[in-house]
Amino acid sequence: GPAVNKVEEDLSHVTGAPHVAVVSSGTAALHTMYASSGIRSSDEVIVPAITFAATANAAAYLGAKPVFADVEPHTLLINPASVESLISQKTRAIVGVDFAGQIADYEALRSIASNQSITILADAAHSLGATRTGSPVGQHVDAATFSFHPVKHVAAGEGGATASSNPDLIERCKTFRNHGINADHATRANKGTWFYEMCELGFNYRLSDIHAALGSSQLSGLEANVNRRNEIATTYDQAFNQNDAVTPLTTAQGSTNAYHIYVVLLELDALNVSRTEVFAALRAENIGVNVHYIPVPWHPYYQEQGYEPGNWPAAENAYDRMITLPIWPGMTDDDTSDVIVAVEKVVNAYRR
């Protein structure tokens, strides 16, 4: 419907990509992007070990093999050196994940893949509203996906999108989201015809007009949303940079961060407990901490596929130390102060 067309136009302006296809979820967007990029069952897709499982799962949906790269220790973004060591003749795509809200180093990834037919893709579910070298993520990759899940910056109830400078890829996405049918209802109505053909095996990944309209409404507040998240993150940074038991993630020079989440790493050498005890103590202080994420190859499904712990030292070390602190635009300065006071209280109580 018309609201779908409208939100696709709105997203084009924000993502920096001229062509957009919205779908029913962020996971559907990944599946659609991978399929429309030509990923097939004989391919390998390199993804970071620290991400939500859907980044890898969507490749597995197509029968492709996820290959897990390690991450950079201070940002938890995909490590280009690790990626380079994993490229094989079967590598079809490299997928960066804009972890926590910072755009990955896609220029380095593209340089690694420059002499090979490897597609550079982004799982940008965290980074809507961020920039790298002055440009949004849609201008750094062959295609990028976004999520409109209720916890994201644009919360449309549910939904997702693929954005690209390649119009043919986006047309394939629009066919894939509509059962593989070559003409949607609106197109047939405009042409006064009933005729359509299913040209490939697709899925029902269409986004409703209701969700699309909510998405456009939410996009109007994106800049203010991201600005407030940055204010909270700056306050956290200033507090925790003075604490030798807590290390915030870093943002690369020349980048801006959308701060979908705010992650700190505990310096366990300074503490006499593990992350588990710190997590429980902060919850006891009524601070809604979380952990993002368990390394994907550690999940039982991937363990059964033969992935073994110990192959991603930076990701695994970070997982043992990471805690996600509350950050959302509705937090007041007092809320932010409450989080800082609770963190300092807990880590000081557990110091060696």
Side-chain angles (χ1 to χ4, degrees):
V4 168
N5 295 333
K6 171 73 163 55
V7 77
E8 288 176 343
E9 292 173 1
D10 294 342
L11 284 164
S12 177
H13 294 303
V14 174
T15 64
H19 309 286
V20 176
V22 292
V23 290
S24 54
S25 71
T27 301
L30 285 164
H31 188 194
T32 300
M33 177 177 70
Y34 291 174
S36 300
S37 298
I39 294 169
R40 299 294 182 262
S41 59
S42 59
D43 295 330
E44 294 179 350
V45 177
I46 298 176
V47 303
I50 295 289
T51 182
F52 183 60
T55 314
N57 292 353
Y61 296 162
L62 297 166
K65 179 183 178 181
V67 176
F68 295 101
D70 208 351
V71 296
E72 296 178 330
H74 302 297
T75 64
L76 305 189
L77 298 173
I78 193 168
N79 187 325
S82 177
V83 169
E84 188 168 20
S85 71
L86 295 170
I87 290 175
S88 74
Q89 292 183 340
K90 293 183 178 181
T91 303
R92 181 68 180 82
I94 300 168
V95 186
V97 172
D98 298 344
F99 182 78
Q102 179 176 188
I103 296 173
D105 189 352
Y106 294 104
E107 290 73 22
L109 297 179
R110 193 174 295 283
S111 176
I112 290 167
S114 61
N115 295 324
Q116 303 167 75
S117 298
I118 297 175
T119 304
I120 307 299
L121 303 174
D123 179 342
H126 290 188
S127 65
L128 193 63
T131 62
R132 183 179 178 90
T133 60
S135 301
V137 66
Q139 296 181 355
H140 294 272
V141 292
D142 296 315
T145 60
F146 302 88
S147 171
F148 311 131
H149 181 276
V151 303
K152 298 300 193 296
H153 289 14
V154 172
E158 191 53 278
T162 299
S164 177
S165 60
N166 183 339
D168 294 333
L169 186 148
I170 295 302
E171 283 305 309
R172 292 194 294 273
C173 289
K174 291 181 178 181
T175 299
F176 189 82
R177 76 182 177 188
N178 189 37
H179 301 281
I181 292 171
N182 63 358
D184 62 22
H185 176 79
T187 301
R188 297 195 302 274
N190 289 337
K191 292 183 177 180
T193 182
W194 53 267
F195 185 76
Y196 65 85
E197 294 177 306
M198 195 193 88
C199 300
E200 62 182 74
L201 188 63
F203 288 75
N204 180 3
Y205 281 162
R206 296 186 301 268
L207 186 70
S208 76
D209 252 28
I210 295 170
H211 290 94
L214 184 54
S216 287
S217 174
Q218 290 271 298
L219 277 166
S220 66
L222 178 64
E223 184 176 359
N225 178 324
V226 172
N227 287 343
R228 178 56 184 158
R229 287 174 180 271
N230 271 268
E231 289 174 358
I232 297 167
T234 298
T235 302
Y236 281 159
D237 285 346
Q238 291 171 348
F240 300 133
N241 283 335
Q242 309 302 316
N243 192 319
D244 64 357
V246 180
T247 301
L249 298 183
T250 60
T251 298
Q253 188 173 2
S255 294
T256 64
N257 198 322
Y259 285 108
H260 167 58
I261 54 177
Y262 185 92
V263 175
V264 297
L265 300 176
L266 299 175
E267 299 303 333
L268 296 178
D269 289 345
L271 304 173
N272 58 20
V273 295
S274 72
R275 188 266 314 281
T276 301
E277 288 80 12
V278 174
F279 179 92
L282 286 169
R283 282 289 179 95
E285 293 291 325
N286 203 31
I287 304 300
V289 292
N290 213 323
V291 173
H292 297 85
Y293 298 96
I294 299 171
V296 179
W298 282 16
H299 287 297
Y301 172 83
Y302 286 104
Q303 292 285 288
E304 292 170 3
Q305 309 305 309
Y307 297 88
E308 297 182 356
N311 291 309
W312 306 277
E316 293 168 329
N317 177 269
Y319 170 65
D320 287 338
R321 301 162 54 211
M322 64 171 60
I323 286 187
T324 305
L325 302 180
I327 186 168
W328 66 289
M331 287 178 66
T332 65
D333 290 345
D334 286 344
D335 293 331
T336 307
S337 178
D338 286 345
V339 174
I340 293 168
V341 169
V343 170
E344 292 179 342
K345 174 183 176 181
V346 169
V347 297
N348 286 337
Y350 286 136
R351 285 188 181 275
R352 290 188 185 277

